[in-house]
Amino acid sequence: MAEDFANGRRNTKGKITAPLERLPSSESVSKDEQVAGTVHLKREMGLIRAVAIIGSGMIGSGIFISPQGILRGANSVGMSLIIWIVCAVVSFLGALCYVELGTVLPRAGGSYQYILHAYGDLAGFVVSWANVVILKPASAALVSITLGTYISDYVIPGDCAPPNEAIQLFAILSVMIMMFVNCVSVRYSSGVVVILTISKVAALLIIIAAGIVQLFKGRTEYLNPEVSFQGSTTQILGYGTALYYGFWPYTGWDNLNNVSEELKNPARNLPLSIAIAMPTVTAIYLLTNIAYFTVLSPDELLASSAVAVTFAERTLGIMAWLVPLGVCISTAGTLMGGFLSGPRIAFAAGREGHMLSILSMVSVKYHTPLPAILLQGLIAVVLIMMGDFNSIVVYSGIVQWILYLAAFAAVFVLRRKYPDTPRPFKVNSLIPILAIIASIFMVLAPVISDPKLEYLYAFVLLALGLLVYLVCVRGKRQLPFMGTC
C-alpha cells in the first residue's frame, strides 16, 4: 500500500499553514516540491478539455427531465422559457464569481477551498462533509440511475417499464466503469469527456434540427407570445420549486474549479472556458425547449414520461432510436465529468485534515486521487441499491444553494482578508451581490412556498457534520482509521 500511494497532505492539524499569497498556483511550484519527493496532481488539461468538462457536467439528464418540472411550476410555455433564461443568467453570474475565486486559489477542491480560506476550518469541514457525504454521491447516483433506466428501456423489449433490478444493474455497472477510467488517468478520463460531450451535443442538435424544420412548417401555436404566457404563476415564491428544476440542468458549471489544480494556465483557461461553455449550453437548452413545443402541447409535455423520446417518435420516424441513444451518451458524459471533478473535493479535504487521511493520497502510478474516487463510487452504489432518490434530490438541492451562498460571499471576504493577492480575473462587485441575492431566494423560497420534511433532514445532516467536526477534528477524539486530522 505504501508504495502505491503517496500522501498529498500538507497539513495535519486541520489548520491553514500558509497565507493565501503563498499557495502554489503554477506548474513551477510543483517542480520544487517534487524534489522533496512529494507526489502531486499533474496539470494535464488544456482549454478544449476544460470546456468539455464544463459542458459535459452541465448537459446531462437535466435537459430531458427538467422541462416538465419547470412547466408545472411556471404554468405556461412563455414563463417556462423565461425560467430557463433566468437560471442561465444566475448560473453565469455564479460562474464568474468562481472564476475569480479559482484564479486566486487554483487548488483542487473548488468551493471547499474558497469557503475554507474565507471562513476557517469549521466552514471548510461543513463544505467537505456536505459534498463528500451528500451532494457528489447523490448526483452520481441520480445520473447513473437515469442512465440505467434508458439503457434498460433500450435493450429490454416490450412496452412495459424495465424492471428495477435491471435499472440498478446498469446503473451500478456505469458507476464502476466511470470509476475505473477516472482511477487510471486524468488524461484518459478528460479525453473520454471530450468525446462524450461532442456526442451528446450532436444528439441535442438532432432535436434542434427537427424543431427548426417544424418551425418552418409554421408549428408555432404554442410559442406565440399572445398565448404562451396565459395562466402563468403569479406568486413569486411559487417559482422556487420550478427554479430548482431549472438549475438542475445547469449544475456542473463549477466542475472545472474542482480540478483547477490539474488545469494548465488556470488564469487564462478558467475564464475562457466559462465564457465558451456557458453561452453555448444556454443556447442549446433554449433551442431544445423551443423544439419540444413545436410538436408537443403543454398538456402533452406534462403527460409524457420521456419528453425527448415522445418528440423523436413524432418527428424522426424510424430514426427515433437516435434520441434515447443520445440520452444515454449525455448522461454517461455527465457521470464521467462528475467522477472527474467530485472526488477532488474529498482529496482536498483529506489534505487539509478535514476528512479521512487516506483520501489525501495520490496513486504513485496514475497520479490520480484514487481513494477519493473509490469513496464517491461506493456511496453512489449504496444509494443506487436503496433505489429511491426523490428525497435526496430535494434536500441536496437546498444544501447546494447554502454552499453557493457561502462561496459567492467569499468573494468579498477573500478580497478583504487578502487584498494584496494577485487577481488575474476580478469581477465587478455587483455580480457577486446579485448571485448572493439569488442564492438567498433559492434557499428560502421553496421552504416557504412548499415546506417539506426533507428540508429538515438536510439541516439535521448538516448539524451531524458539525458534531463530527467538534468531536473528531477539534476534539481530536477520532476513530483509529481516521488518522490524525
Side-chain angles (χ1 to χ4, degrees):
M1 184 77 173
E3 62 270 19
D4 294 332
F5 295 96
N7 199 321
R9 298 174 70 190
R10 70 172 188 274
N11 178 0
T12 60
K13 299 296 184 181
K15 300 291 185 181
I16 302 172
T17 57
L20 187 59
E21 296 84 356
R22 297 179 184 176
L23 288 174
S25 59
S26 65
E27 294 85 347
S28 61
V29 178
S30 62
K31 293 179 181 178
D32 296 334
E33 294 180 336
Q34 286 175 358
V35 174
T38 305
V39 179
H40 297 272
L41 302 176
K42 287 185 176 180
R43 293 191 181 274
E44 296 184 318
M45 287 183 290
L47 177 62
I48 294 178
R49 296 187 179 187
V51 173
I53 289 175
I54 298 173
S56 179
M58 293 172 64
I59 303 176
S61 59
I63 185 59
F64 303 108
I65 61 177
S66 288
Q68 291 172 307
I70 294 174
L71 180 60
R72 190 178 297 111
N75 210 31
S76 73
V77 173
M79 283 306 301
S80 68
L81 295 177
I82 294 296
I83 287 177
W84 281 97
I85 296 174
V86 169
C87 292
V89 171
V90 174
S91 298
F92 188 67
L93 294 178
L96 291 178
C97 295
Y98 268 54
V99 169
E100 175 175 334
L101 294 170
T103 53
V104 172
L105 275 168
R107 278 276 184 178
S111 59
Y112 164 75
Q113 291 286 355
Y114 315 146
I115 294 175
L116 171 67
H117 285 82
Y119 309 111
D121 298 318
L122 175 58
F125 178 84
V126 172
V127 174
S128 64
W129 172 269
N131 275 286
V132 173
V133 176
I134 306 174
L135 298 177
K136 297 305 179 180
S139 177
L142 181 61
V143 174
S144 62
I145 283 183
T146 303
L147 178 58
T149 300
Y150 276 88
I151 293 177
S152 301
D153 188 68
Y154 184 74
V155 302
I156 298 177
D159 297 329
C160 298
N164 188 57
E165 291 79 6
I167 295 175
Q168 290 179 330
L169 176 63
F170 285 115
I172 293 175
L173 181 61
S174 302
V175 169
M176 295 298 181
I177 293 174
M178 300 307 174
M179 284 172 56
F180 172 77
V181 174
N182 277 279
C183 287
V184 170
S185 172
V186 171
R187 184 183 299 274
Y188 294 157
S189 57
S190 58
V192 171
V193 167
V194 173
I195 296 173
L196 293 177
T197 300
I198 295 173
S199 301
K200 72 171 66 176
V201 171
L204 288 172
L205 289 179
I206 293 175
I207 297 177
I208 293 171
I212 292 175
V213 172
Q214 298 301 316
L215 287 175
F216 278 111
K217 291 181 178 180
R219 301 291 300 274
T220 60
E221 56 266 34
Y222 306 119
L223 298 170
N224 188 339
E226 295 180 359
V227 298
S228 61
F229 288 92
Q230 292 179 0
S232 300
T233 301
T234 57
Q235 297 295 326
I236 299 298
L237 295 180
Y239 286 101
T241 303
L243 287 170
Y244 268 158
Y245 282 101
F247 281 115
W248 168 250
Y250 290 101
T251 300
W253 52 261
D254 60 335
N255 275 355
L256 188 60
N257 290 71
N258 295 331
V259 294
S260 58
E261 194 169 339
E262 297 158 89
L263 180 65
K264 296 178 181 178
N265 193 5
R268 170 187 177 270
N269 289 334
L270 188 55
L272 188 56
S273 59
I274 291 289
I276 294 173
M278 290 292 295
T280 302
V281 171
T282 302
I284 291 173
Y285 282 174
L286 286 175
L287 292 174
T288 301
N289 278 273
I290 290 173
Y292 289 154
F293 288 115
T294 61
V295 175
L296 303 175
S297 69
D299 291 336
E300 289 173 332
L301 188 143
L302 291 174
S304 175
S305 58
V307 178
V309 173
T310 303
F311 173 86
E313 290 173 348
R314 296 191 181 187
T315 58
L316 300 180
I318 61 174
M319 302 300 292
W321 58 270
L322 287 172
V323 170
L325 177 63
V327 173
C328 292
I329 294 174
S330 178
T331 50
T334 301
L335 188 60
M336 175 65 76
F339 270 102
L340 179 61
S341 64
R344 271 64 180 179
I345 297 178
F347 165 81
R351 184 170 60 183
E352 295 292 347
H354 285 160
M355 278 291 164
L356 306 181
S357 59
I358 193 174
L359 297 180
S360 67
M361 293 185 175
V362 178
S363 170
V364 173
K365 182 177 181 180
Y366 300 117
H367 291 269
T368 58
L370 194 148
I373 295 172
L374 295 178
L375 175 64
Q376 176 170 314
L378 177 62
I379 298 177
V381 168
V382 171
L383 292 175
I384 291 170
M385 295 176 66
M386 292 174 59
D388 183 11
F389 291 95
N390 292 329
S391 60
I392 294 178
V393 170
V394 172
Y395 75 71
S396 65
I398 194 170
V399 171
Q400 182 66 80
W401 278 100
I402 291 174
L403 299 189
Y404 281 154
L405 173 60
F408 298 152
V411 172
F412 296 112
V413 176
L414 291 178
R415 285 179 181 178
R416 183 172 182 178
K417 290 181 68 174
Y418 307 103
D420 299 326
T421 300
R423 285 171 169 79
F425 183 91
K426 185 175 182 178
V427 296
N428 186 287
S429 297
L430 181 61
I431 291 177
I433 291 175
L434 293 175
I436 290 171
I437 294 174
S439 301
I440 294 174
F441 179 86
M442 289 305 301
V443 171
L444 297 180
V447 176
I448 296 174
S449 63
D450 187 21
K452 296 179 182 294
L453 194 59
E454 285 82 356
Y455 298 130
L456 178 61
Y457 296 157
F459 291 114
V460 169
L461 200 55
L462 289 177
L464 179 60
L466 295 176
L467 179 62
V468 172
Y469 173 83
L470 294 175
V471 174
C472 297
V473 178
R474 177 162 292 184
K476 295 182 172 53
R477 298 177 181 178
Q478 294 156 238
L479 298 175
F481 62 84
M482 289 190 68
T484 57
C485 286

